[in-house]
Amino acid sequence: MDKYLGESIPKLGFGLMRLPMLGSEIDIEQVKEMVDLFLEAGFNYFDTAYGYNEGASERAAKLALVDRHPRDSFFLATKLPAWMAKDKADAEQMFYTSLERTGAGYFDFYLLHNLGPGRTQKFDEYGIWDFLRRRKEEGLIRHLGFSMHDSAEALDEILTAHPEAEFVQLQINYADWEDPRVQSRKCYEVARKHGKPVIIMEPVKGGSLSILPPEATAPLKALRPEMSEASWAVRYAASLEGLVTVLSGMSTVEQVKDNTGFMKNFEPLRDDERTALAETLGYLRSLPTVPCTACGYCTKGCPQKINIPGVFEAYNLYKVYGNVTPAKNSYGFATRRRGKAADCIGCSACEKVCPQRIAIIDELKNASAVLDS
């Protein structure tokens, strides 16, 4: 018997958010091949969400996984984003829509999706905790938890208010472990304090840690030249205790083969590997970035409603890792309901209140040249 929920689940999960595309449609035939390879390698946890690809991810899970493999041969997780709903009824319907899209019959792991600033309250306002508890009593949910992007203090408050949460899904990777904004380590420690097993998301930081500058990879290649950059990030995350699994958002057959190859006979990081990874991180941290602390003073008087800290966070991803795709993904999320960098009119209201004295107008132009193109 497992000592904790998910102990016996293999520590590599398949994240179905970044699936291969054929034009504007998901490449289902390639996804089928990827799913089959993943299962054949001995892994069985799949993660999707109501909002991924506007529902196409859940439908892909049905076509590639649910319709083609015995239901008891895999674990399927999905998520409910109440903050996207227009009212309580709309939020509740999301659950039944996910059931219909996936054809799964029930969900092994079901999550309240992306709790955090401006979003957490919607789940309480719409009574989603109680609604999902009833669905669990009906057998439509096996295990109930939540994902979040917020502070350790906020996580502690949520777990104190909702001890019924059986697990929590957190952003954890070696670049964010001590990051004062992401607080990976602090959030992990709060989850452990409450006795909650952890599902790790973003172990490769949206792909940023899979393609690094040569100077950053030098310590890793010197020690284990045969290992991919992504393998270091996934193994770092999987070396933690109390995990259900580590999700990797895979987009190609090659990525599935790589991930399952080094995780099939998983070895936690050795001391010399941790030293090499620390050298890599030291180099990445030495690179020049926009010195934004996300205090938010700049946004209060912005007539264009630009999420300036969010823009700079995305731009810094590009400046450090040199990979524009994850930077644009982060930028798209930060500006989905706010002004873009290109919307800046140069009024300088932001610069007058910036404690770091950042040349915000110039930096927004620099960010726009990369992220709005």
Side-chain angles (χ1 to χ4, degrees):
M1 179 179 291
D2 286 1
K3 296 177 183 177
Y4 67 88
L5 173 63
E7 181 189 26
S8 62
I9 293 176
K11 301 312 170 201
L12 176 67
F14 194 151
L16 301 173
M17 183 171 71
R18 300 180 177 93
L19 295 174
M21 306 295 290
L22 274 178
S24 61
E25 303 293 328
I26 291 176
D27 184 351
I28 292 296
E29 293 307 310
Q30 187 174 173
V31 175
K32 288 178 180 178
E33 183 180 358
M34 294 163 68
V35 164
D36 292 351
L37 286 170
F38 189 75
L39 289 168
E40 288 166 6
F43 301 94
N44 56 7
Y45 190 102
F46 296 83
D47 171 270
T48 183
Y50 173 89
Y52 288 174
N53 300 93
E54 299 181 344
S57 175
E58 289 186 329
R59 288 188 284 270
K62 180 180 190 300
L63 296 172
L65 176 66
V66 177
D67 288 350
R68 301 173 59 248
H69 295 277
R71 184 61 186 87
D72 61 357
S73 67
F74 60 86
F75 298 101
L76 182 62
T78 195
K79 315 176 192 74
L80 188 157
W83 37 271
M84 287 179 59
K86 58 180 180 290
D87 53 34
K88 176 181 174 68
D90 190 36
E92 293 180 350
Q93 182 56 43
M94 288 176 174
F95 174 81
Y96 297 109
T97 298
S98 291
L99 269 182
E100 186 274 329
R101 285 174 180 167
T102 62
Y106 63 90
F107 295 112
D108 301 280
F109 290 79
Y110 197 81
L111 296 85
L112 291 75
H113 192 185
N114 197 13
L115 277 65
R119 299 183 297 274
T120 300
Q121 64 186 31
K122 287 297 181 181
F123 295 93
D124 293 317
E125 179 182 336
Y126 296 151
I128 297 303
W129 287 95
D130 288 337
F131 170 76
L132 294 178
R133 175 184 53 78
R134 293 193 294 273
R135 304 294 78 78
K136 184 180 176 186
E137 291 171 352
E138 295 170 356
L140 298 177
I141 295 171
R142 297 292 170 83
H143 302 290
L144 180 63
F146 64 92
S147 65
M148 66 154 278
H149 292 275
D150 206 341
S151 67
E153 181 181 4
L155 176 59
D156 193 35
E157 292 174 357
I158 295 168
L159 289 175
T160 299
H162 295 284
E164 69 271 26
E166 297 177 82
F167 63 93
V168 61
Q169 185 162 306
L170 300 172
Q171 177 173 325
I172 295 176
N173 56 67
Y174 67 79
D176 291 330
W177 187 244
E178 296 293 354
D179 187 285
R181 287 181 290 183
V182 181
Q183 298 186 11
S184 284
R185 175 182 59 79
K186 291 181 178 179
C187 286
Y188 170 75
E189 290 173 351
V190 167
R192 296 288 287 165
K193 181 186 76 172
H194 283 268
K196 307 299 182 183
V198 174
I199 296 171
I200 291 180
M201 59 182 165
E202 303 290 355
V204 193
K205 200 172 174 64
S208 294
L209 300 178
S210 65
I211 304 176
L212 298 173
E215 296 86 351
T217 61
L220 312 181
K221 295 299 183 183
L223 192 61
R224 300 193 67 175
E226 79 284 3
M227 300 296 288
S228 68
E229 289 146 74
S231 73
W232 289 86
V234 174
R235 287 180 59 229
Y236 175 91
S239 296
L240 294 169
E241 297 180 350
L243 303 184
V244 176
T245 196
V246 177
L247 300 174
S248 177
M250 294 175 273
S251 305
T252 66
V253 169
E254 290 69 28
Q255 288 174 1
V256 175
K257 290 179 178 178
D258 181 47
N259 283 343
T260 57
F262 64 76
M263 286 298 290
K264 193 167 187 177
N265 297 303
F266 169 64
E267 298 176 3
L269 288 178
R270 306 185 310 252
D271 288 344
D272 59 339
E273 291 176 314
R274 290 185 179 277
T275 298
L277 206 53
E279 292 179 27
T280 290
L281 184 57
Y283 174 80
L284 294 174
R285 286 178 173 168
S286 72
L287 297 174
T289 58
V290 181
C292 174
T293 63
C295 67
Y297 294 154
C298 58
T299 63
K300 295 174 184 177
C302 178
Q304 300 300 92
K305 308 298 182 185
I306 300 171
N307 180 4
I308 297 171
V311 171
F312 288 159
E313 181 178 8
Y315 184 45
N316 282 339
L317 273 178
Y318 173 74
K319 286 173 70 70
V320 172
Y321 302 103
N323 190 340
V324 73
T325 299
K328 284 190 172 183
N329 288 338
S330 176
Y331 180 68
F333 184 80
T335 60
R336 69 195 189 284
R337 294 189 181 92
R338 305 280 293 275
K340 297 182 180 296
D343 295 330
C344 175
I345 59 175
C347 70
S348 77
C350 54
E351 294 187 353
K352 292 175 183 176
V353 297
C354 177
Q356 308 305 318
R357 299 186 178 181
I358 297 169
I360 295 176
I361 296 171
D362 289 341
E363 292 292 4
L364 284 176
K365 289 179 182 177
N366 295 334
S368 179
V370 174
L371 303 175
D372 285 319
S373 60

